[in-house]
Amino acid sequence: MEAESSTPAPRPVRRSARTPAKTPTKQPTAVARPPPESPSGNPKGKRKAREPAEKSSAEKLEHLLTNSKSKLTKLDITGVINYANFLDLSEEAQRRLCALLPPTAFTTFAPSVSPTHPDYVPAATQTGHSPDDDDRMQVDVDGQPPEVSGGQTPATLDPSVLTSPFFLSAAHTFQDHLFSSWLAKKASDDLAKFREGAMSGDLHVDWKDEVWERDQQRPAGTTRSKPAPKMDMNALAKHGLLQKGDVLAYKRAFPALNVTVEKDVLIESVDPQTHALSFLLPPGTQRSLPPALLSLDPHECEDKILSVAGVSDPVALERAVLDSDGRIRSADKYEHDVAACTTASPLSPGFQDEVANVIAVRGWKSFTVWRWREEHRAGGGDGMLPIMEQQERAGREKVATLFYLRGCCLSAS
Protein backbone atom coordinates (compact mmCIF):
# COMPACT_ATOMS: atom_id res chain seq x y z
CA MET A 1 0.00 0.00 0.00
CA GLU A 2 2.84 2.31 0.96
CA ALA A 3 4.72 1.40 -2.18
CA GLU A 4 1.76 2.08 -4.29
CA SER A 5 1.25 5.33 -2.51
CA SER A 6 4.88 6.39 -3.02
CA THR A 7 4.64 6.12 -6.76
CA PRO A 8 3.91 9.56 -8.26
CA ALA A 9 0.66 9.88 -10.11
CA PRO A 10 0.88 10.68 -13.89
CA ARG A 11 0.36 14.35 -14.88
CA PRO A 12 -2.86 14.91 -16.76
CA VAL A 13 -2.44 16.10 -20.40
CA ARG A 14 -3.97 19.50 -21.21
CA ARG A 15 -5.88 19.79 -24.45
CA SER A 16 -5.74 22.95 -26.57
CA ALA A 17 -9.06 24.53 -27.40
CA ARG A 18 -7.75 25.93 -30.79
CA THR A 19 -8.59 24.07 -33.85
CA PRO A 20 -5.45 22.87 -35.59
CA ALA A 21 -4.70 24.22 -39.05
CA LYS A 22 -5.78 21.94 -41.75
CA THR A 23 -3.38 20.89 -44.44
CA PRO A 24 -4.45 22.36 -47.81
CA THR A 25 -5.77 19.73 -50.04
CA LYS A 26 -5.43 19.83 -53.84
CA GLN A 27 -8.78 20.00 -55.54
CA PRO A 28 -9.15 18.03 -58.72
CA THR A 29 -9.37 20.06 -61.93
CA ALA A 30 -12.91 20.25 -63.26
CA VAL A 31 -13.24 18.81 -66.72
CA ALA A 32 -15.74 20.50 -69.01
CA ARG A 33 -18.32 18.10 -70.10
CA PRO A 34 -19.89 18.42 -73.52
CA PRO A 35 -23.49 19.55 -73.39
CA PRO A 36 -25.99 16.92 -74.03
CA GLU A 37 -26.94 16.59 -77.62
CA SER A 38 -30.31 18.03 -78.45
CA PRO A 39 -32.78 15.74 -80.04
CA SER A 40 -33.01 18.02 -83.14
CA GLY A 41 -29.27 17.76 -83.80
CA ASN A 42 -28.55 21.53 -83.20
CA PRO A 43 -25.43 21.70 -80.93
CA LYS A 44 -26.35 25.12 -79.50
CA GLY A 45 -29.87 24.22 -78.83
CA LYS A 46 -31.22 27.22 -80.83
CA ARG A 47 -34.19 27.03 -83.10
CA LYS A 48 -33.62 27.27 -86.80
CA ALA A 49 -35.33 30.07 -88.76
CA ARG A 50 -38.27 28.78 -90.64
CA GLU A 51 -37.42 28.58 -94.30
CA PRO A 52 -39.91 30.27 -96.65
CA ALA A 53 -42.17 28.01 -98.54
CA GLU A 54 -41.03 27.23 -102.02
CA LYS A 55 -42.78 29.31 -104.66
CA SER A 56 -44.90 27.70 -107.24
CA SER A 57 -44.07 27.78 -110.92
CA ALA A 58 -46.72 30.43 -111.56
CA GLU A 59 -45.28 32.69 -108.85
CA LYS A 60 -41.76 32.27 -110.19
CA LEU A 61 -42.93 33.13 -113.68
CA GLU A 62 -44.78 36.21 -112.44
CA HIS A 63 -41.68 37.40 -110.56
CA LEU A 64 -39.55 36.82 -113.64
CA LEU A 65 -41.85 38.82 -115.95
CA THR A 66 -42.99 41.64 -113.64
CA ASN A 67 -40.41 42.29 -110.92
CA SER A 68 -37.82 45.01 -111.47
CA LYS A 69 -35.12 42.77 -109.92
CA SER A 70 -35.78 39.99 -112.39
CA LYS A 71 -32.82 38.22 -113.94
CA LEU A 72 -34.10 39.21 -117.37
CA THR A 73 -32.99 42.81 -116.75
CA LYS A 74 -29.32 41.84 -116.34
CA LEU A 75 -28.68 39.35 -119.12
CA ASP A 76 -28.38 39.51 -122.86
CA ILE A 77 -31.87 38.94 -124.19
CA THR A 78 -30.51 37.23 -127.28
CA GLY A 79 -29.22 34.44 -125.04
CA VAL A 80 -32.80 33.66 -124.01
CA ILE A 81 -34.84 34.41 -127.11
CA ASN A 82 -33.17 32.71 -130.06
CA TYR A 83 -33.94 30.09 -132.64
CA ALA A 84 -31.95 27.37 -130.86
CA ASN A 85 -34.06 27.72 -127.70
CA PHE A 86 -37.17 27.81 -129.86
CA LEU A 87 -36.31 24.39 -131.28
CA ASP A 88 -35.87 22.99 -127.74
CA LEU A 89 -39.49 23.75 -126.88
CA SER A 90 -42.29 21.29 -127.22
CA GLU A 91 -44.33 21.22 -130.39
CA GLU A 92 -47.36 22.66 -128.60
CA ALA A 93 -45.32 25.56 -127.18
CA GLN A 94 -43.86 26.27 -130.60
CA ARG A 95 -47.31 26.44 -132.17
CA ARG A 96 -48.56 28.79 -129.44
CA LEU A 97 -45.61 31.12 -130.01
CA CYS A 98 -46.12 31.05 -133.76
CA ALA A 99 -49.69 32.17 -133.22
CA LEU A 100 -48.36 35.35 -131.57
CA LEU A 101 -46.08 36.29 -134.47
CA PRO A 102 -47.24 38.33 -137.49
CA PRO A 103 -47.54 36.68 -140.91
CA THR A 104 -44.39 38.49 -142.07
CA ALA A 105 -42.34 36.28 -139.73
CA PHE A 106 -42.88 33.21 -141.91
CA THR A 107 -41.37 32.21 -145.22
CA THR A 108 -44.83 31.65 -146.70
CA PHE A 109 -45.74 35.33 -146.46
CA ALA A 110 -46.60 37.05 -149.75
CA PRO A 111 -47.21 40.80 -149.62
CA SER A 112 -50.55 41.93 -150.97
CA VAL A 113 -51.53 45.11 -152.78
CA SER A 114 -53.59 47.68 -150.94
CA PRO A 115 -57.24 47.89 -152.10
CA THR A 116 -56.69 51.59 -152.81
CA HIS A 117 -53.83 50.89 -155.21
CA PRO A 118 -54.60 50.92 -158.97
CA ASP A 119 -52.97 47.50 -159.39
CA TYR A 120 -55.20 45.87 -156.78
CA VAL A 121 -57.00 42.78 -158.02
CA PRO A 122 -59.69 41.28 -155.76
CA ALA A 123 -58.71 37.90 -154.42
CA ALA A 124 -62.03 36.43 -155.49
CA THR A 125 -61.04 36.85 -159.13
CA GLN A 126 -57.74 35.08 -158.54
CA THR A 127 -58.43 32.22 -156.15
CA GLY A 128 -62.19 32.19 -155.94
CA HIS A 129 -62.30 32.70 -152.16
CA SER A 130 -63.24 35.68 -150.08
CA PRO A 131 -61.17 38.84 -150.71
CA ASP A 132 -60.01 39.13 -147.11
CA ASP A 133 -56.40 40.23 -146.75
CA ASP A 134 -54.22 37.18 -146.15
CA ASP A 135 -51.49 39.26 -144.49
CA ARG A 136 -53.80 40.75 -141.88
CA MET A 137 -52.53 39.99 -138.39
CA GLN A 138 -54.77 37.86 -136.19
CA VAL A 139 -55.41 38.99 -132.64
CA ASP A 140 -56.72 37.27 -129.54
CA VAL A 141 -60.50 37.04 -129.25
CA ASP A 142 -62.07 36.73 -125.81
CA GLY A 143 -58.72 35.86 -124.28
CA GLN A 144 -58.23 32.82 -126.51
CA PRO A 145 -55.11 32.55 -128.70
CA PRO A 146 -55.77 32.75 -132.42
CA GLU A 147 -55.70 29.71 -134.56
CA VAL A 148 -52.57 29.13 -136.56
CA SER A 149 -53.11 29.19 -140.29
CA GLY A 150 -51.67 26.55 -142.53
CA GLY A 151 -48.67 28.66 -143.54
CA GLN A 152 -47.78 29.83 -140.02
CA THR A 153 -46.17 26.75 -138.55
CA PRO A 154 -42.89 26.20 -136.69
CA ALA A 155 -41.49 24.62 -139.85
CA THR A 156 -42.07 27.79 -141.89
CA LEU A 157 -40.80 30.25 -139.26
CA ASP A 158 -38.01 32.47 -140.60
CA PRO A 159 -35.06 32.20 -138.12
CA SER A 160 -33.79 35.67 -139.09
CA VAL A 161 -36.87 37.22 -137.46
CA LEU A 162 -35.48 36.57 -133.97
CA THR A 163 -32.24 38.43 -134.86
CA SER A 164 -33.75 41.32 -136.81
CA PRO A 165 -33.07 44.83 -135.42
CA PHE A 166 -36.81 45.49 -135.08
CA PHE A 167 -37.38 42.40 -132.94
CA LEU A 168 -34.28 43.08 -130.80
CA SER A 169 -35.33 46.69 -130.31
CA ALA A 170 -38.71 45.56 -129.03
CA ALA A 171 -37.02 43.01 -126.73
CA HIS A 172 -34.69 45.65 -125.29
CA THR A 173 -37.65 47.95 -124.76
CA PHE A 174 -39.31 45.14 -122.79
CA GLN A 175 -36.20 44.90 -120.60
CA ASP A 176 -36.26 48.66 -119.99
CA HIS A 177 -39.93 48.57 -119.01
CA LEU A 178 -39.29 45.61 -116.72
CA PHE A 179 -36.36 47.37 -115.02
CA SER A 180 -38.43 50.57 -114.59
CA SER A 181 -41.21 48.64 -112.78
CA TRP A 182 -43.68 49.51 -115.52
CA LEU A 183 -44.81 45.88 -115.64
CA ALA A 184 -45.31 45.53 -111.88
CA LYS A 185 -48.71 45.26 -110.23
CA LYS A 186 -48.54 48.81 -108.85
CA ALA A 187 -47.98 50.25 -112.31
CA SER A 188 -50.89 48.27 -113.74
CA ASP A 189 -53.12 49.39 -110.86
CA ASP A 190 -52.14 53.02 -111.41
CA LEU A 191 -52.83 52.69 -115.12
CA ALA A 192 -56.24 51.17 -114.48
CA LYS A 193 -57.03 53.93 -111.98
CA PHE A 194 -55.99 56.60 -114.47
CA ARG A 195 -58.03 55.08 -117.28
CA GLU A 196 -61.06 55.00 -115.04
CA GLY A 197 -60.48 58.63 -114.06
CA ALA A 198 -59.92 59.67 -117.66
CA MET A 199 -63.16 58.03 -118.74
CA SER A 200 -65.07 59.73 -115.93
CA GLY A 201 -63.36 63.09 -116.53
CA ASP A 202 -61.73 63.34 -113.10
CA LEU A 203 -58.13 63.02 -114.35
CA HIS A 204 -56.20 64.27 -117.35
CA VAL A 205 -52.67 64.16 -118.71
CA ASP A 206 -50.57 67.32 -118.48
CA TRP A 207 -49.71 68.90 -121.80
CA LYS A 208 -46.07 68.66 -122.83
CA ASP A 209 -45.79 72.45 -122.93
CA GLU A 210 -47.11 72.74 -119.38
CA VAL A 211 -44.66 70.10 -118.14
CA TRP A 212 -41.76 71.82 -119.89
CA GLU A 213 -42.66 75.23 -118.46
CA ARG A 214 -43.01 73.75 -114.98
CA ASP A 215 -39.63 72.04 -115.23
CA GLN A 216 -37.94 75.16 -116.54
CA GLN A 217 -39.17 77.41 -113.75
CA ARG A 218 -36.42 78.43 -111.36
CA PRO A 219 -37.12 78.39 -107.63
CA ALA A 220 -37.81 81.87 -106.29
CA GLY A 221 -34.89 83.42 -104.47
CA THR A 222 -32.26 80.93 -105.62
CA THR A 223 -30.64 83.19 -108.19
CA ARG A 224 -30.37 86.92 -108.46
CA SER A 225 -30.96 88.09 -111.96
CA LYS A 226 -29.36 91.32 -113.06
CA PRO A 227 -31.77 94.08 -113.94
CA ALA A 228 -32.39 94.30 -117.66
CA PRO A 229 -30.33 97.12 -119.17
CA LYS A 230 -32.22 100.07 -120.54
CA MET A 231 -32.38 99.65 -124.27
CA ASP A 232 -33.22 102.53 -126.59
CA MET A 233 -31.85 104.07 -129.75
CA ASN A 234 -29.18 105.94 -127.78
CA ALA A 235 -27.85 102.59 -126.54
CA LEU A 236 -27.75 101.31 -130.13
CA ALA A 237 -25.77 104.40 -131.13
CA LYS A 238 -23.39 103.83 -128.21
CA HIS A 239 -22.64 100.32 -129.53
CA GLY A 240 -22.21 101.59 -133.09
CA LEU A 241 -25.39 99.99 -134.40
CA LEU A 242 -26.81 103.40 -135.36
CA GLN A 243 -24.55 105.95 -137.07
CA LYS A 244 -24.74 109.40 -138.52
CA GLY A 245 -26.10 109.30 -142.07
CA ASP A 246 -28.21 106.16 -141.55
CA VAL A 247 -31.75 106.18 -142.91
CA LEU A 248 -34.53 104.67 -140.84
CA ALA A 249 -37.21 103.51 -143.30
CA TYR A 250 -40.60 103.48 -141.59
CA LYS A 251 -43.40 101.33 -142.99
CA ARG A 252 -46.59 100.16 -141.34
CA ALA A 253 -49.97 99.13 -142.70
CA PHE A 254 -53.33 99.88 -141.04
CA PRO A 255 -55.79 97.48 -142.72
CA ALA A 256 -58.83 98.82 -140.86
CA LEU A 257 -58.21 102.24 -142.37
CA ASN A 258 -56.83 100.94 -145.68
CA VAL A 259 -53.73 103.10 -145.19
CA THR A 260 -50.03 102.25 -145.42
CA VAL A 261 -47.62 104.85 -144.08
CA GLU A 262 -44.06 104.95 -145.48
CA LYS A 263 -41.49 107.59 -144.59
CA ASP A 264 -37.69 107.85 -144.48
CA VAL A 265 -36.03 109.35 -141.42
CA LEU A 266 -32.39 110.49 -141.61
CA ILE A 267 -30.06 110.46 -138.60
CA GLU A 268 -28.62 113.97 -138.84
CA SER A 269 -26.19 113.79 -135.94
CA VAL A 270 -25.13 111.68 -132.94
CA ASP A 271 -23.94 113.43 -129.79
CA PRO A 272 -20.46 112.05 -128.94
CA GLN A 273 -21.06 112.32 -125.19
CA THR A 274 -24.67 111.35 -124.60
CA HIS A 275 -25.22 109.54 -127.93
CA ALA A 276 -28.46 111.47 -128.34
CA LEU A 277 -29.85 111.39 -131.87
CA SER A 278 -31.38 114.13 -134.02
CA PHE A 279 -33.53 113.25 -137.03
CA LEU A 280 -34.73 114.81 -140.26
CA LEU A 281 -37.94 113.70 -141.99
CA PRO A 282 -40.06 114.97 -144.87
CA PRO A 283 -43.41 116.63 -144.11
CA GLY A 284 -46.90 115.39 -145.03
CA THR A 285 -47.33 112.17 -146.93
CA GLN A 286 -44.01 112.57 -148.73
CA ARG A 287 -41.95 109.41 -148.42
CA SER A 288 -38.39 110.20 -149.49
CA LEU A 289 -35.96 112.86 -148.37
CA PRO A 290 -34.43 115.35 -150.82
CA PRO A 291 -31.30 114.03 -152.60
CA ALA A 292 -29.28 116.93 -151.20
CA LEU A 293 -29.63 115.46 -147.70
CA LEU A 294 -28.89 111.89 -148.74
CA SER A 295 -25.50 112.54 -150.31
CA LEU A 296 -22.19 111.65 -148.71
CA ASP A 297 -21.54 115.36 -148.33
CA PRO A 298 -24.98 116.73 -147.43
CA HIS A 299 -25.73 120.41 -147.86
CA GLU A 300 -28.69 122.66 -147.26
CA CYS A 301 -31.73 122.24 -149.43
CA GLU A 302 -34.62 124.51 -150.24
CA ASP A 303 -37.30 121.91 -149.48
CA LYS A 304 -39.15 122.03 -146.19
CA ILE A 305 -37.74 119.52 -143.73
CA LEU A 306 -38.89 118.62 -140.23
CA SER A 307 -36.38 118.14 -137.45
CA VAL A 308 -36.85 115.94 -134.39
CA ALA A 309 -34.41 115.93 -131.47
CA GLY A 310 -34.33 114.46 -128.00
CA VAL A 311 -36.10 111.25 -129.04
CA SER A 312 -34.61 107.91 -127.98
CA ASP A 313 -37.67 105.65 -128.04
CA PRO A 314 -38.88 104.23 -131.39
CA VAL A 315 -42.48 104.61 -130.15
CA ALA A 316 -42.00 108.36 -129.79
CA LEU A 317 -40.30 108.56 -133.18
CA GLU A 318 -43.20 106.61 -134.71
CA ARG A 319 -45.64 109.07 -133.18
CA ALA A 320 -43.68 111.95 -134.74
CA VAL A 321 -43.79 110.20 -138.14
CA LEU A 322 -47.54 109.61 -137.95
CA ASP A 323 -48.18 113.17 -136.79
CA SER A 324 -46.23 114.53 -139.75
CA ASP A 325 -48.17 112.24 -142.09
CA GLY A 326 -51.51 113.35 -140.67
CA ARG A 327 -53.61 110.37 -141.80
CA ILE A 328 -53.49 108.23 -138.63
CA ARG A 329 -54.81 109.61 -135.37
CA SER A 330 -53.52 108.46 -132.00
CA ALA A 331 -56.87 106.85 -131.15
CA ASP A 332 -56.89 104.90 -134.41
CA LYS A 333 -53.38 103.62 -133.82
CA TYR A 334 -54.23 102.62 -130.25
CA GLU A 335 -57.27 100.64 -131.41
CA HIS A 336 -55.13 98.90 -134.01
CA ASP A 337 -52.61 97.91 -131.32
CA VAL A 338 -55.30 96.74 -128.89
CA ALA A 339 -56.77 94.48 -131.58
CA ALA A 340 -53.47 92.54 -131.65
CA CYS A 341 -53.64 91.70 -127.92
CA THR A 342 -54.60 88.17 -126.95
CA THR A 343 -56.30 89.21 -123.70
CA ALA A 344 -60.03 89.24 -124.24
CA SER A 345 -61.19 91.94 -121.83
CA PRO A 346 -59.56 95.28 -121.04
CA LEU A 347 -60.47 94.64 -117.41
CA SER A 348 -58.35 91.51 -117.29
CA PRO A 349 -55.21 91.71 -115.17
CA GLY A 350 -52.12 92.49 -117.19
CA PHE A 351 -54.07 93.94 -120.11
CA GLN A 352 -52.36 97.33 -120.00
CA ASP A 353 -48.94 95.71 -119.78
CA GLU A 354 -49.71 93.61 -122.82
CA VAL A 355 -50.88 96.64 -124.80
CA ALA A 356 -47.71 98.53 -123.87
CA ASN A 357 -45.58 95.58 -124.96
CA VAL A 358 -47.41 95.31 -128.31
CA ILE A 359 -46.96 99.04 -128.97
CA ALA A 360 -43.25 98.87 -128.13
CA VAL A 361 -42.56 95.77 -130.24
CA ARG A 362 -44.41 97.17 -133.26
CA GLY A 363 -42.51 100.42 -132.92
CA TRP A 364 -39.16 98.62 -132.97
CA LYS A 365 -40.19 96.45 -135.92
CA SER A 366 -41.54 99.32 -138.04
CA PHE A 367 -38.12 100.90 -138.67
CA THR A 368 -35.47 99.38 -140.97
CA VAL A 369 -31.90 100.67 -141.00
CA TRP A 370 -30.24 101.53 -144.35
CA ARG A 371 -26.52 102.35 -144.43
CA TRP A 372 -23.67 102.90 -146.85
CA ARG A 373 -20.90 100.40 -147.16
CA GLU A 374 -17.65 101.32 -145.48
CA GLU A 375 -15.83 101.75 -148.81
CA HIS A 376 -18.51 104.20 -149.98
CA ARG A 377 -18.39 106.10 -146.72
CA ALA A 378 -14.59 106.31 -146.81
CA GLY A 379 -14.63 107.66 -150.37
CA GLY A 380 -17.00 110.55 -149.62
CA GLY A 381 -16.16 114.27 -149.69
CA ASP A 382 -16.44 115.04 -153.41
CA GLY A 383 -20.18 114.44 -153.56
CA MET A 384 -22.12 111.38 -154.58
CA LEU A 385 -21.12 109.26 -157.47
CA PRO A 386 -23.52 109.52 -160.41
CA ILE A 387 -24.41 105.84 -160.17
CA MET A 388 -25.28 106.20 -156.49
CA GLU A 389 -27.61 109.11 -157.13
CA GLN A 390 -29.86 106.87 -159.19
CA GLN A 391 -30.13 104.17 -156.55
CA GLU A 392 -32.68 103.99 -153.78
CA ARG A 393 -31.70 106.04 -150.72
CA ALA A 394 -28.49 107.18 -152.46
CA GLY A 395 -26.84 103.76 -152.58
CA ARG A 396 -27.48 102.74 -149.00
CA GLU A 397 -28.06 99.06 -148.33
CA LYS A 398 -30.52 97.40 -146.02
CA VAL A 399 -29.01 96.37 -142.68
CA ALA A 400 -31.79 95.15 -140.35
CA THR A 401 -34.77 96.30 -138.36
CA LEU A 402 -34.33 98.16 -135.10
CA PHE A 403 -35.90 95.18 -133.35
CA TYR A 404 -33.16 92.86 -134.65
CA LEU A 405 -30.40 95.31 -133.73
CA ARG A 406 -31.92 95.66 -130.28
CA GLY A 407 -31.77 91.88 -129.80
CA CYS A 408 -28.11 91.85 -130.87
CA CYS A 409 -27.34 94.59 -128.38
CA LEU A 410 -29.12 92.76 -125.56
CA SER A 411 -27.29 89.50 -126.26
CA ALA A 412 -23.95 91.32 -126.35
CA SER A 413 -24.59 92.96 -123.00
Side-chain angles (χ1 to χ4, degrees), residues 125-155:
T125 61
Q126 298 178 0
T127 60
H129 63 274
S130 118
D132 294 336
D133 293 337
D134 294 336
D135 58 346
R136 182 176 301 172
M137 182 176 179
Q138 299 179 0
V139 295
D140 295 351
V141 180
D142 298 333
Q144 299 296 330
E147 298 181 358
V148 181
S149 62
Q152 300 182 18
T153 61

Side-chain angles (χ1 to χ4, degrees), residues 98-211:
C98 288
L100 302 176
L101 296 175
T104 54
F106 301 89
T107 57
T108 57
F109 169 75
S112 62
V113 180
S114 174
T116 59
H117 197 275
D119 294 339
Y120 174 74
V121 178
T125 61
Q126 298 178 0
T127 60
H129 63 274
S130 118
D132 294 336
D133 293 337
D134 294 336
D135 58 346
R136 182 176 301 172
M137 182 176 179
Q138 299 179 0
V139 295
D140 295 351
V141 180
D142 298 333
Q144 299 296 330
E147 298 181 358
V148 181
S149 62
Q152 300 182 18
T153 61
T156 59
L157 177 64
D158 187 1
S160 63
V161 171
L162 301 179
T163 57
S164 66
F166 309 102
F167 184 85
L168 295 180
S169 177
H172 295 156
T173 303
F174 165 76
Q175 287 183 295
D176 295 340
H177 290 180
L178 181 61
F179 179 79
S180 303
S181 300
W182 289 359
L183 303 179
K185 185 177 183 302
K186 182 179 182 303
S188 60
D189 294 343
D190 293 343
L191 180 60
K193 180 180 178 181
F194 174 79
R195 286 178 176 176
E196 181 180 357
M199 294 297 295
S200 62
D202 298 335
L203 299 175
H204 74 282
V205 180
D206 295 336
W207 293 97
K208 292 191 299 182
D209 296 343
E210 296 177 355
V211 175

Side-chain angles (χ1 to χ4, degrees), residues 293-316:
L293 297 177
L294 296 177
S295 63
L296 289 171
D297 187 12
H299 51 276
E300 296 183 2
C301 64
E302 299 179 355
D303 298 337
K304 182 180 179 180
I305 297 299
L306 301 179
S307 177
V308 178
V311 175
S312 60
D313 189 4
V315 177

Side-chain angles (χ1 to χ4, degrees), residues 80-98 154 157 162:
V80 179
I81 305 178
N82 52 59
Y83 191 68
N85 291 345
F86 176 80
L87 296 179
D88 293 339
L89 299 175
S90 63
E91 184 178 355
E92 180 183 359
Q94 291 180 0
R95 293 181 64 85
R96 290 181 62 87
L97 291 178
C98 288
L157 177 64
L162 301 179

Side-chain angles (χ1 to χ4, degrees), residues 33-55:
R33 296 180 180 180
E37 296 183 359
S38 60
S40 60
N42 187 357
K44 294 186 179 180
K46 295 183 180 180
R47 295 182 179 180
K48 288 185 177 181
R50 181 176 298 178
E51 297 181 358
E54 186 178 358
K55 295 183 179 180

Side-chain angles (χ1 to χ4, degrees), residues 244-291:
K244 177 183 176 181
D246 290 351
V247 172
L248 307 183
Y250 175 83
K251 182 178 181 180
R252 183 171 176 181
F254 297 88
L257 303 176
N258 197 19
V259 175
T260 300
V261 180
E262 295 185 61
K263 192 177 291 291
D264 290 348
V265 181
L266 176 66
I267 299 180
E268 181 184 17
S269 63
V270 179
D271 188 276
Q273 299 296 331
T274 62
H275 305 285
L277 304 174
S278 60
F279 305 93
L280 298 178
L281 64 154
T285 59
Q286 183 179 349
R287 172 194 171 187
S288 302
L289 290 163

